Amino acid sequence: MIELSEYMLPPARSTLAGETDALFHFINVTSFILLIGITIAIVYFSWKYRRRSDDDVTPVITHNSTLEITWSVIPLILVMIVFGWGFTGYMNLTTPPDNAYEVRVVGKSWLWEFHYNNGKVSVNELNVPVDRPVKLVMSSDDVIHSFFVPDFRVKRDVLPNRYSSLWFEATETGESIIFCTEYCGTNHSQMDAVVNVMTQDDFETWVESGDSVDESVPPAERGEALVSRNGCNACHSADGSSGVGPSYLGLWESERPLANGETVTADANYIRESILQSDAKIVEGYDNVMPSYQGVINDREIDDIIEYIKTLE
Ligand code: CUA
């Protein structure tokens, strides 16, 4: 038999999920029982009171107090249960515990940035400890996005010029997907990320670790990994196909016609500037939509990305 808690819903991986699911199932099951009851009544009455001869006349009915009170009070009780249950659930959902670990979330078209309390930054991967409340303080750098983790049953709009927040406490380690659920432009459907729930110890180790460079890996390969980790490849292909942004293929030291009519050479300074001040030089035929990676990708990483781009000729 299907476990009711898993029916129609993704796995429940936060402390808030149980209550949300219980209310969802209550509303569903109640509606289904009422649907069956009403359908049976309609069919039965249609048959029972069908017209049998041309002399059939509907009797004059004024009212029936018992019936009217019954069909008013039962729905009222049901609606009050749903309201009370929903209200306490909403209060739990919107009131983070005082000891919550805080993470700043920045939505940008089209990626998620996570800033931890010691200055560490991750892109498209939110690392959090298990069994500890985590509060997200969120804002957008451009348009409205929406942060949604189905496994945690939490969702909230992420707005420009204003903070919004949500909280959750993950109950098991592992990965869950994050979606953007507010249509935010061309690559909205690719604006996904993961929450990686770690043990307390693993999380401490990760968040305290510096941005160590693995010297055993060639710079170009590190650059390729960075391009993937920071979501660059969602817009910039490596095979020459045109996306939201220009392809990396053949980019290195090519002449770039700009939207303002000038032409620049794609050297190291151009690439660096395009990463940090993405709106400084817009290539002809493309829109000014790339977010700045200032404070997210450091100098050392830019070197690696340049080495990677050099290999794409
Ligand atoms: Cu961001 Cu849709």
Side-chain angles (χ1 to χ4, degrees):
M1 191 183 141
I2 304 169
E3 189 77 39
L4 186 62
S5 60
E6 288 168 17
Y7 181 58
M8 292 192 290
L9 295 171
R13 290 189 175 143
S14 83
T15 52
L16 298 165
E19 190 178 26
T20 310
D21 292 2
L23 179 55
F24 173 80
H25 290 305
F26 174 78
I27 295 174
N28 251 347
V29 169
T30 317
S31 304
F32 189 71
I33 291 169
L34 289 172
L35 171 76
I36 297 292
I38 292 168
T39 307
I40 289 171
I42 289 174
V43 171
Y44 173 69
F45 289 148
S46 310
W47 173 79
K48 185 176 181 197
Y49 298 109
R50 70 192 184 281
R51 188 171 187 172
R52 287 170 229 225
S53 74
D54 287 346
D55 305 330
D56 275 358
V57 176
T58 307
V60 178
I61 301 168
T62 54
H63 68 285
N64 182 329
S65 299
T66 318
L67 203 55
E68 283 165 20
I69 289 170
T70 310
W71 78 43
S72 300
V73 169
I74 292 177
L76 179 70
I77 292 170
L78 287 175
V79 167
M80 290 314 287
I81 291 173
V82 171
F83 171 75
W85 200 340
F87 183 73
T88 47
Y90 178 79
M91 292 308 286
N92 289 342
L93 210 67
T94 48
T95 317
D98 291 338
N99 62 341
Y101 180 81
E102 202 171 298
V103 180
R104 268 285 282 130
V105 178
V106 183
K108 296 178 174 180
S109 299
W110 293 276
L111 58 92
W112 296 102
E113 252 173 51
F114 304 103
H115 298 252
Y116 302 83
N117 56 9
N118 63 351
K120 192 158 175 94
V121 183
S122 63
V123 175
N124 288 343
E125 184 178 298
L126 169 61
N127 290 321
V128 294
V130 71
D131 294 330
R132 174 155 182 206
V134 175
K135 179 187 178 188
L136 305 181
V137 179
M138 312 187 291
S139 64
S140 165
D141 262 11
D142 36 61
V143 297
I144 300 175
H145 303 278
S146 186
F147 188 91
F148 180 31
V149 186
D151 290 355
F152 296 170
R153 313 289 192 267
V154 291
K155 172 157 79 173
R156 180 133 300 196
D157 276 6
V158 178
L159 311 162
N161 307 320
R162 181 189 295 194
Y163 297 111
S164 58
S165 70
L166 61 75
W167 80 277
F168 57 82
E169 182 177 330
T171 51
E172 53 184 272
T173 56
E175 282 193 357
S176 290
I177 197 154
I178 299 167
F179 289 114
C180 176
T181 50
E182 181 67 54
Y183 181 66
C184 55
T186 313
N187 274 11
H188 156 70
S189 62
Q190 287 168 53
M191 192 172 166
D192 55 0
V194 291
V195 196
N196 187 13
V197 181
M198 306 166 145
T199 62
Q200 301 271 357
D201 287 346
D202 285 355
F203 177 74
E204 294 297 332
T205 310
W206 177 82
V207 85
E208 296 305 329
S209 67
D211 292 315
S212 61
V213 176
D214 186 352
E215 297 290 356
S216 66
V217 177
E221 271 179 41
R222 291 200 301 259
E224 186 173 6
L226 284 163
V227 159
S228 165
R229 202 171 80 211
N230 288 291
C232 315
N233 50 0
C235 298
H236 302 283
S237 78
D239 62 4
S241 61
S242 186
V244 169
S247 177
Y248 290 146
L249 187 72
L251 167 64
W252 179 246
E253 294 200 316
S254 65
E255 295 297 312
R256 315 294 286 168
L258 300 182
N260 63 8
E262 291 173 20
T263 302
V264 291
T265 304
D267 56 13
N269 280 321
Y270 167 81
I271 294 171
R272 179 190 160 81
E273 181 185 57
S274 298
I275 293 171
L276 299 180
Q277 288 165 260
S278 43
D279 58 353
K281 294 187 174 67
I282 307 300
V283 176
E284 192 180 9
Y286 293 93
D287 292 327
N288 179 13
V289 290
M290 177 170 158
S292 164
Y293 279 82
Q294 187 87 48
V296 178
I297 298 183
N298 65 34
D299 287 359
R300 191 66 203 272
E301 293 171 328
I302 290 174
D303 294 345
D304 290 346
I305 291 172
I306 290 172
E307 289 308 313
Y308 167 60
I309 289 173
K310 279 184 187 172
T311 65
L312 298 170
E313 289 193 274

